[in-house]
């Protein structure tokens, strides 16, 4: 009985007039995808500035955004401890100089006496040893004084390079340690546009290595750059790779921190293209309904989509050029249903 029922249902289906659908042939089209990303302008070289000695900050002379020269003073520490060390080192030098004068006089006298035979070799050698020891002690004391003076000068923090202060990490009254970050400075000179790019973008060859750059705040400000550096590692949080684009002649409007859009176009390649209306939802993702030209019977075929264009869908795989797909009315179709083509469609 079940077989008879199935036959009856099939016969009933054949008696129904076929559904009229709009169809189209899948075509090959040259596809050159463009990649557009937003990044920011940064200095080629950014430095962290810190004191070489520990101490309490007594003065801060610049703010974030200030342009500084190489010899400009940025901040100062309380110098009392270093000044005391310098005073002690100066006293040590004076003491060593006194010892040196005495040892030199004694040694000179012993040299004259031994030449005349009025002293012993032992006394002469002892005087020479004392002279050498005093000489070394004086050199050491002077070196200690030089070090103390250097550490005193280190209580004054200078920029060292010309640039713009981009960060301030300490305030007046704060006690900082040696090498603790106090300021960050973006050095004057070359500029880069920095982007975080999805790693999948590197699987496609570029049509032109030049990167077109446009200022977000004023699209009339444009320039071009070249990729200078690609990070060898992928950021675990975002899954992106940092790319730095060299800007040889940045417009004046592209200041530090300015947002820019970088555009590149991949090399053209042929891909199957269908209209948006042909896209339907299959059991495992996107799909299309294809029509057998001989039987006019439809079947659903899964596809992989590469990208979307205005009114078009670019298919990466799953569909061959020339296959007839339903372009309109897919929501009413079922597998193996017989359809009729609308007037003016593919036959």
């Amino acid at each position: 009985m079940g077989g008879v029922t199935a036959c009856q249902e099939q016969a009933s289906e054949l008696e129904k007039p076929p559904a009229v659908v709009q169809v189209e042939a899948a075509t090959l089209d040259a596809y050159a995808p463009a990649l557009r990303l937003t990044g920011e302008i940064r200095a080629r070289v950014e430095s962290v500035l810190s004191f070489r000695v520990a101490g309490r900050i007594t003065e801060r002379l610049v703010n974030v955004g200030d342009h500084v020269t190489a010899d400009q003073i940025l901040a100062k520490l309380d110098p009392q401890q270093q000044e005391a060390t310098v005073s002690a080192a100066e006293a040590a030098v004076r003491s060593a100089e006194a010892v040196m004068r005495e040892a030199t006089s004694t040694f000179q006298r012993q040299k004259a006496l031994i030449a005349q035979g009025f002293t012993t070799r032992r006394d002469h050698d002892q005087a020479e040893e004392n002279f050498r020891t005093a000489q070394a002690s004086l050199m050491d004391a002077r070196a200690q004084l030089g070090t103390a003076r250097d550490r005193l000068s280190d209580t004054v923090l200078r920029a060292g390079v010309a640039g713009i202060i981009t960060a301030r990490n300490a305030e007046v009254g704060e006690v900082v340690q040696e090498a603790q970050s106090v300021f960050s400075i973006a050095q004057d000179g070359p500029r880069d546009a920095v982007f975080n790019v999805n790693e999948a973008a590197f699987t496609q060859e570029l049509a032109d290595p030049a990167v077109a750059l446009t200022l977000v705040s004023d699209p009339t400000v444009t320039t071009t750059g070249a990729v200078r550096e690609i990070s060898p590692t992928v950021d675990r949080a975002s899954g992106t790779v940092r790319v730095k684009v060299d800007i040889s002649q940045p417009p004046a409007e592209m200041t530090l921190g300015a947002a820019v859009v970088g555009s590149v176009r991949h090399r053209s390649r042929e891909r199957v293209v269908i209209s948006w209306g042909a896209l339907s939802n299959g059991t495992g993702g996107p799909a299309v309904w294809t029509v057998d030209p001989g039987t006019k019977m439809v079947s659903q075929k899964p596809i992989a989509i590469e990208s979307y264009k205005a009114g078009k869908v670019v298919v990466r795989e799953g569909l061959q050029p020339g296959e007839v797909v339903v372009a309109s009315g897919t929501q009413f179709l079922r597998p193996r249903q017989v359809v009729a083509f609308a007037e003016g469609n593919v036959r």
Side-chain angles (χ1 to χ4, degrees):
M1 293 295 292
V4 173
T5 303
C7 290
Q8 290 176 342
E9 290 179 354
Q10 185 175 6
S12 176
E13 289 294 333
L14 292 174
E15 291 176 0
K16 291 182 179 180
V20 179
V21 295
Q22 296 282 343
V23 296
E24 65 179 29
T27 59
L28 276 178
D29 193 10
Y31 174 59
L35 178 65
R36 289 170 57 86
L37 293 170
T38 301
E40 65 174 316
I41 302 297
R42 294 186 182 177
R44 176 75 55 84
V45 181
E46 297 183 14
S47 305
V48 174
L49 304 178
S50 58
F51 287 101
R52 297 181 181 180
V53 295
R56 182 176 60 84
I57 298 177
T58 57
E59 292 184 70
R60 178 179 56 77
L61 305 174
V62 295
N63 293 305
V64 173
D66 289 350
H67 185 274
V68 297
T69 58
D71 60 347
Q72 186 169 339
I73 296 175
L74 309 182
K76 295 181 180 181
L77 295 178
D78 185 348
Q80 289 185 2
Q81 181 178 349
Q82 285 72 27
E83 288 174 344
T85 302
V86 169
S87 297
E90 289 174 343
V93 168
R94 289 193 294 270
S95 176
E97 288 175 341
V99 173
M100 182 64 184
R101 286 193 296 271
E102 181 179 355
T104 301
S105 177
T106 301
F107 180 47
Q108 293 296 334
R109 186 168 58 254
Q110 286 295 323
K111 284 200 299 183
L113 291 174
I114 199 169
Q116 299 173 10
F118 295 145
T119 188
T120 63
R121 172 60 62 179
R122 177 182 178 182
D123 290 343
H124 173 272
D125 291 348
Q126 183 64 49
E128 183 177 9
E129 182 180 351
N130 292 341
F131 170 75
R132 301 300 180 194
T133 300
Q135 191 176 45
S137 296
L138 178 58
M139 292 176 62
D140 180 67
R142 286 174 175 169
Q144 294 293 334
L145 176 59
T147 300
R149 286 173 174 167
D150 287 343
R151 293 182 72 81
L152 177 60
S153 66
D154 288 340
T155 60
V156 176
L157 180 61
R158 298 180 184 273
V161 293
I164 297 175
I165 301 297
T166 58
R168 182 183 71 245
N169 305 311
E171 297 294 343
V172 174
E174 184 175 342
V175 176
V176 295
Q177 303 301 315
E178 296 180 23
Q180 179 179 332
S181 174
V182 178
F183 295 102
S184 294
I185 184 172
Q187 296 186 21
D188 289 346
R191 295 287 186 257
D192 288 338
V194 181
F195 302 90
N196 292 319
V197 181
N198 190 293
E199 60 176 332
F202 298 99
T203 62
Q204 304 175 28
E205 185 180 358
L206 296 179
D208 187 344
V211 180
L213 300 170
T214 305
L215 190 65
V216 171
S217 60
D218 186 356
T220 62
V221 179
T222 61
T223 187
T224 57
V227 175
R228 182 182 68 82
E229 179 182 305
I230 300 176
S231 173
T233 59
V234 178
D235 185 270
R236 293 183 179 180
S238 62
T240 58
V241 176
R242 175 158 294 186
V243 176
K244 296 181 179 180
V245 176
D246 170 52
I247 310 175
S248 57
Q249 295 181 338
E253 294 85 355
M254 289 189 179
T255 57
L256 286 178
V260 292
V261 173
S263 304
V264 293
R265 186 167 292 278
H266 293 108
R267 189 174 294 279
S268 177
R269 56 191 185 278
E270 290 190 330
R271 285 288 186 268
V272 173
V273 178
I274 58 175
S275 64
W276 280 359
L279 191 63
S280 65
N281 186 26
T283 56
V288 293
W289 288 92
T290 61
V291 184
D292 186 326
T295 64
K296 302 291 180 68
M297 208 172 273
V298 298
S299 60
Q300 196 175 50
K301 176 181 285 190
I303 61 172
I305 297 175
E306 181 154 321
S307 69
Y308 297 90
K309 299 169 63 177
K312 299 289 185 179
V313 177
V314 181
V315 180
R316 184 170 67 250
E317 58 183 26
L319 198 60
Q320 297 299 319
E323 287 192 81
V324 179
V325 298
V326 178
S328 178
T330 58
Q331 67 271 28
F332 303 112
L333 299 179
R334 60 185 180 279
R336 302 185 61 78
Q337 181 179 357
V338 176
V339 298
F341 297 161
E343 188 69 26
N345 262 211
V346 177
R347 292 291 192 273

